[in-house]
């Protein structure tokens, strides 16, 4: 097409970055949360990668984080699905995540909650309900 601008950025997300002040503590927490082993080959000094089955990576990065203050609030960084929102909430709290922003929200279409880790990385967990 005439006048079309070629975008040098591909329209895909390959990695999500979570900042951490204590890399090993965060890696251990997310290993339990994701149900993935801690692989030494995925440790790159100040960061660690977790490879999700769908090809996306979660990158825990501690580079320079000791100088950045923890925010009081933050928007969710990404969304993860659940088949049982109540069990998901119990599971993440047992791991040490905090459920924030009013707890579990339930509607006829979805149920969700926002959780945060000690570095205030916020993740939304959501269960979609079947519409009959």
């Amino acid at each position: 097409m005439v006048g079309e601008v070629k975008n040098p950025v591909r329209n895909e997300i390959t990695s999500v970055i979570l900042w951490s002040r204590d890399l090993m503590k965060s890696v251990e927490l997310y290993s339990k949360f994701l149900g993935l082993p801690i692989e030494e080959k995925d440790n790159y000094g100040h960061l660690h990668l977790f490879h999700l089955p769908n090809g996306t990576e979660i990158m825990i990065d501690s580079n320079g984080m000791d100088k950045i203050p923890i925010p009081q609030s933050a928007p969710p960084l990404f969304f993860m699905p659940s088949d049982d929102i109540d069990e998901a909430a119990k599971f993440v709290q047992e791991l040490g995540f905090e459920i924030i922003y009013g707890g579990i929200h339930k509607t006829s279409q979805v149920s969700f909650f926002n959780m945060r880790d000690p570095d205030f990385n916020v993740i939304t967990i959501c269960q979609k309900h079947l519409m009959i």
Side-chain angles (χ1 to χ4, degrees), residues 3-131:
E4 184 176 321
V5 176
K6 184 176 181 198
N7 186 344
V9 179
R10 297 191 328 232
N11 62 351
E12 60 189 57
I13 297 173
T14 59
S15 298
V16 175
I17 301 171
L18 302 176
W19 283 353
S20 171
R21 282 154 188 77
D22 184 333
L23 183 65
M24 282 318 299
K25 184 176 176 183
S26 294
V27 167
E28 289 171 6
L29 176 64
Y30 279 94
S31 171
K32 292 173 187 170
F33 172 65
L34 298 169
L36 295 173
I38 298 171
E39 300 281 350
E40 187 59 38
K41 68 180 177 61
D42 293 326
N43 187 306
Y44 299 92
H46 63 82
L47 65 88
H48 187 91
L49 297 177
F50 285 104
H51 305 278
L52 303 185
N54 69 356
T56 304
E57 295 174 338
I58 293 185
M59 182 184 304
I60 312 292
D61 189 353
S62 64
N63 190 23
M65 286 308 302
D66 56 336
K67 299 172 183 77
I68 298 176
I70 296 174
Q72 294 302 308
S73 64
L77 298 169
F78 58 93
F79 164 104
M80 294 184 81
S82 172
D83 295 325
D84 185 327
I85 201 71
D86 295 311
E87 285 299 313
K90 181 179 172 186
F91 174 70
V92 301
Q93 287 177 309
E94 287 173 355
L95 290 177
F97 290 93
E98 179 184 358
I99 295 179
I100 58 173
Y101 305 147
I104 299 173
H105 303 272
K106 296 183 178 186
T107 71
S108 61
Q109 297 171 328
V110 298
S111 295
F112 70 93
F113 63 85
N114 293 289
M115 63 180 211
R116 67 167 236 163
D117 67 17
D119 295 300
F120 222 114
N121 293 297
V122 178
I123 301 168
T124 298
I125 306 296
C126 184
Q127 177 184 0
K128 294 181 183 178
H129 305 295
L130 294 176
M131 300 301 294

